[in-house]
Amino acid sequence: MEPLSDRWVAALQACRPTDCDLDQARSVILARARQEEPTAGRRSRPKRRWIVAGGVIALGASLAGTAQLVTAGEDSSGVTPDGTRLGQIISAHTSSAQKWGVRVTGQHEHCIESWQGNGGGGVCSADWTTPHPHPTMSVSAWQERGGGPPSRSVGLATVIAPAGRAVEVVSYLEAQPTTIPIEDLPGVHHGAATIQGVDFDVWGFVAPYHFEDEGEPPQPPTFTVRFAPR
Amino acid sequence: MTSTAARQDEVVRVQEPVAELLFRERYAEMVGLAVVLLSDRTAAEDVVQDAYTALFRHEASMTDQQSAAGYLVRSVVNGCRSFQRRKRTAERYAPPAPTSEASAEAAASARRDALRVVEAMQRLPDRQRIAVACHHYLGLDRSETAEVMGISVNSVKTHLRRGIRTLAQQLEEEV
């Protein structure tokens, strides 16, 4: 058998990535494992109990930082015969005049652009071109140190999805340290909006985020969300 | 390492859940395997995460690390094959995504050889590609490759011989 030359064997070996985000991967894997557990008996779905109607628009206005998941549209992006979707777009922006950070990472996009806001707003986006029935993404928004006086803040993620397409939290990485009991926060909100004539469902996820002005701020709360199964 | 320290290390390793150990030590390697088979980093991570999801779910039935590792590799390989089938179906209904090519080109500037060999791998038939990836990327011997693929050792030899010959021809032509 002709051997494969050392050059190409080395090239194959070089395919092992060195930039895997193990924390992110672990969170997705564990979330999927939980989602796929047999449903015999009572299934614990703590995030769902927070879902209440309305309120997200006012909430968004008062907290100013948002991260959005916008789809390119069911029609334009195409739906494959097995029901998976192609061509979704993640978009995140901030509109606050203060310093806000937004980070969006996705598991199914080809292109990830991280962006951190510094007033005035901005956008990061990525195309989702891999068919997947339940794409997940992680979103977080937080007020950066130096962007305002409060040492007590919240993390907020707003997800905009096509009307009728529910979004659910599959994992939540809590910021440390936190001083606001999660029970005291609104948690998950659900509302609706019409943007440029298109109906969307709007989902807001809120979590405590506390840090002092001294020292490095902790990692902000991060929600991993996905479209709920149809 | 002293023998006492070695034993302590061994104790720690034995106590660590096998799925967690395999995740920490082999996640990146499995992503690389899926990249070789799919030429798509995002899809590779998706497939590998699904494989680990199954591993975590079935961890209780895993008797040892070796069998769990074998299960993991088979899950990744089978996941890649399933993904390829779905992708071929999807491609019949939708044009290729332009961003895929763009991101591939970006990767090429950093690791041109790796990209070329992965691209050449994509032109191999499924079984040849898997055999070459298991043997030359994972470093499995022929019998281990046969176990992963669920075929005989002689079949593995045949797929390897044909795959490497085709691969070498393609790559040499491009040089």
Side-chain angles (χ1 to χ4, degrees):
Chain A
M1 180 170 63
E2 298 173 35
L4 193 60
S5 73
D6 290 346
R7 175 185 175 183
W8 300 118
V9 172
L12 269 180
Q13 297 289 334
C15 292
R16 176 179 176 145
T18 57
D19 59 345
C20 286
D21 185 341
L22 288 184
D23 289 338
Q24 171 74 7
R26 179 184 281 106
S27 119
V28 171
I29 290 163
L30 295 179
R32 287 186 191 176
R34 280 196 297 272
Q35 289 289 318
E36 294 171 9
E37 281 174 358
T39 54
R42 196 168 67 134
R43 188 175 180 179
S44 176
R45 301 291 296 271
K47 302 297 181 191
R48 287 221 164 154
R49 70 177 183 226
W50 295 341
I51 294 179
V52 295
V56 73
I57 302 300
L59 190 69
S62 64
L63 295 176
T66 64
Q68 299 181 342
L69 163 62
V70 183
T71 70
E74 302 263 353
D75 296 330
S76 60
S77 60
V79 178
T80 59
D82 60 353
T84 59
R85 290 167 46 75
L86 297 169
Q88 295 163 326
I89 296 175
I90 297 173
S91 172
H93 77 270
T94 65
S95 55
S96 170
Q98 293 184 323
K99 282 189 178 180
W100 284 83
V102 174
R103 180 182 58 205
V104 177
T105 57
Q107 287 300 306
H108 302 288
E109 67 272 46
H110 279 281
C111 170
I112 300 173
E113 294 178 30
S114 294
W115 177 84
Q116 293 199 350
N118 188 12
V123 173
C124 71
S125 63
D127 288 337
W128 283 3
T129 51
T130 303
H132 195 280
H134 313 304
T136 58
M137 61 177 286
S138 296
V139 288
S140 61
W142 67 96
Q143 189 167 25
E144 292 182 318
R145 185 165 63 89
S151 59
R152 167 185 284 203
S153 186
V154 295
L156 166 71
T158 302
V159 175
I160 297 179
R165 195 72 200 271
V167 172
E168 62 185 12
V169 176
V170 293
S171 76
Y172 162 56
L173 301 180
E174 189 171 357
Q176 295 293 336
T178 57
T179 56
I180 310 170
I182 188 90
E183 291 78 12
D184 291 348
L185 284 163
V188 180
H189 291 256
H190 177 213
T194 300
I195 303 172
Q196 295 179 342
V198 180
D199 292 331
F200 290 94
D201 277 357
V202 184
W203 301 80
F205 308 101
V206 184
Y209 178 40
H210 169 91
F211 59 87
E212 302 297 337
D213 261 359
E214 298 298 324
E216 287 297 311
Q219 286 295 309
T222 299
F223 304 88
T224 297
V225 298
R226 72 174 195 177
F227 288 128
R230 290 179 187 277
Chain B
M1 184 183 290
T2 66
S3 59
T4 305
R7 277 198 301 275
Q8 285 174 342
D9 182 56
E10 191 177 348
V11 169
V12 169
R13 283 175 173 276
V14 167
Q15 287 174 341
E16 185 174 15
V18 65
E20 177 61 30
L21 183 67
L22 286 173
F23 173 76
R24 189 163 44 77
E25 292 188 346
R26 300 198 62 179
Y27 178 80
E29 183 187 26
M30 290 299 109
V31 171
L33 172 64
V35 167
V36 169
L37 294 175
L38 297 175
S39 184
D40 183 329
R41 170 69 185 271
T42 306
E45 291 225 33
D46 189 31
V47 166
V48 170
Q49 286 167 3
D50 273 345
Y52 273 100
T53 299
L55 183 67
F56 274 93
R57 286 194 58 212
H58 296 105
E59 187 180 14
S61 62
M62 300 292 167
T63 54
D64 55 51
Q65 185 179 339
Q66 191 176 357
S67 65
Y71 175 87
L72 177 65
V73 173
R74 285 194 298 276
S75 293
V76 171
V77 168
N78 291 335
C80 288
R81 297 179 80 171
S82 298
F83 181 87
Q84 289 281 31
R85 280 195 292 272
R86 290 199 305 271
K87 187 179 176 188
R88 285 177 198 131
T89 304
E91 283 172 351
R92 284 200 289 269
Y93 293 87
T99 52
S100 176
E101 194 173 332
S103 54
E105 284 173 2
S109 65
R111 297 188 305 169
R112 189 171 302 277
D113 268 10
L115 184 66
R116 283 179 56 196
V117 76
V118 167
E119 284 178 349
M121 289 278 285
Q122 305 316 303
R123 295 195 284 271
L124 296 180
D126 275 0
R127 289 189 170 192
Q128 292 178 22
R129 185 169 64 249
I130 292 168
V132 171
C134 286
H135 188 62
H136 286 291
Y137 173 77
L138 286 182
L140 302 183
D141 62 27
R142 291 174 179 79
S143 63
E144 290 168 332
T145 302
E147 191 175 334
V148 167
M149 296 180 68
I151 58 178
S152 71
V153 174
N154 281 333
S155 296
V156 167
K157 289 179 182 174
T158 302
H159 291 311
L160 271 177
R161 186 175 62 247
R162 291 175 180 168
I164 290 173
R165 186 174 57 207
T166 307
L167 203 57
Q169 284 172 353
Q170 289 181 2
L171 292 169
E172 291 308 315
E173 283 173 5
E174 292 173 8
V175 169

